Amino acid sequence: QVQLVQSGVEVKKPGASVKVSCKASGYNFASYGFSWVRQAPGEGLEWLGWISAYMGNTNYAQNFQDRLILTTDTSTTTAYMELKSLRSDDTAVYYCARFGTGYSDYWGQGTLVTVSS
Amino acid sequence: EIVLTQSPGTLSLSPGERATLSCRASQNVRFTYLAWYQQKPGQPPRLLIYGASTRATGIPDRFSGSGSGTDFTLTISRLQPEDFAVYYCQQYSDSQYTFGQGTKVEIK
């Protein structure tokens, strides 16, 4: 069965970077992409960007173009999201999701990233 | 960027009632790229509907999606206790994703 397992809780100081991993299994990794979405406490869903798993093509939301890096490693079937220059308002649960044709059908469990001095 | 506006913000209904959720886009959305998700507290979103009207794998047939252009609707024909949650619409166009702000369906 399709599974996406994300790395654990992160606590970072303002200005630092965070890198979250998303290990995929149960399907042909190269045939899909990944979208990354975050959710601040008590808030709605915010799309960060997506990446094609095989070619590595990326597309970032305008608000994150200068500090977000998405990558994949086909040898370990893992996707990564790195967010730089963290601020307190980056505190959120970050989700990876398998990206199909315009929608995300399987989601990771989420990774809480807390940014605090 | 296409903005999605969901209404109402909160829907208070009883089990067995019908729920009608609206999602309005600021520009035309290709129907293929309109999806609906359900989210319960502490859980990731769950895909319900894609392509505006196609149920995802394992989704009960009490959930249905409709609409085109700028107006889309998610209908839950008879609310079950497990359906009380927050629902989001999402569109994908020009390589950009956006979500609506969500509709909370709560027990009356």
Side-chain angles (χ1 to χ4, degrees):
Chain A
Q1 71 282 21
V2 176
Q3 279 195 307
L4 301 178
V5 179
Q6 297 183 223
S7 49
V9 173
E10 299 271 8
V11 180
K12 297 291 183 181
K13 293 194 181 301
S17 298
V18 68
K19 192 169 186 176
V20 176
S21 67
C22 173
K23 168 71 174 174
S25 61
Y27 70 98
N28 184 348
F29 182 79
S31 296
Y32 293 84
F34 290 88
S35 59
W36 288 86
V37 174
R38 76 179 185 180
Q39 187 168 37
E43 301 295 324
L45 303 173
E46 180 177 27
W47 177 69
L48 305 179
W50 64 258
I51 181 168
S52 65
Y54 183 69
M55 296 297 293
N57 299 326
T58 55
N59 205 290
Y60 300 129
Q62 292 174 350
N63 289 345
F64 298 95
Q65 284 185 348
D66 57 346
R67 60 191 188 104
L68 178 66
I69 300 174
L70 300 181
T71 55
T72 60
D73 183 341
T74 55
S75 67
T76 59
T77 64
T78 302
Y80 297 93
M81 186 248 2
E82 183 176 14
L83 188 62
K84 301 181 175 183
S85 302
L86 289 168
R87 309 185 291 252
S88 58
D89 62 357
D90 290 319
T91 294
V93 175
Y94 288 75
Y95 294 103
C96 66
R98 191 177 79 165
F99 180 73
T101 309
Y103 56 87
S104 294
D105 55 357
Y106 289 91
W107 294 66
Q109 82 277 18
T111 296
L112 175 61
V113 176
T114 300
V115 183
S116 174
S117 55
Chain B
E1 175 184 301
I2 296 178
V3 176
L4 299 179
T5 302
Q6 293 186 239
S7 61
T10 301
L11 201 48
S12 299
L13 296 169
S14 300
E17 290 193 293
R18 181 184 188 90
T20 303
L21 287 67
S22 173
C23 175
R24 179 160 291 177
S26 59
Q27 303 171 42
N28 277 346
V29 174
R30 291 181 59 188
F31 68 90
T32 310
Y33 296 143
L34 193 288
W36 290 90
Y37 300 86
Q38 175 194 68
Q39 189 179 33
K40 298 179 181 179
Q43 296 183 18
R46 174 193 182 196
L47 177 67
L48 297 176
I49 301 285
Y50 63 92
S53 60
T54 303
R55 276 187 299 277
T57 303
I59 301 303
D61 61 6
R62 63 180 181 273
F63 290 92
S64 63
S66 63
S68 64
T70 60
D71 288 297
F72 298 88
T73 300
L74 175 69
T75 302
I76 310 170
S77 58
R78 291 173 305 279
L79 281 165
Q80 300 299 304
E82 62 268 26
D83 299 337
F84 292 92
V86 179
Y87 294 83
Y88 296 94
C89 59
Q90 168 251 307
Q91 70 82 34
Y92 175 73
S93 68
D94 297 328
S95 299
Q96 298 282 308
Y97 239 76
T98 51
F99 289 96
Q101 82 278 19
T103 291
K104 181 179 182 180
V105 178
E106 65 176 22
I107 299 176
K108 186 174 182 180

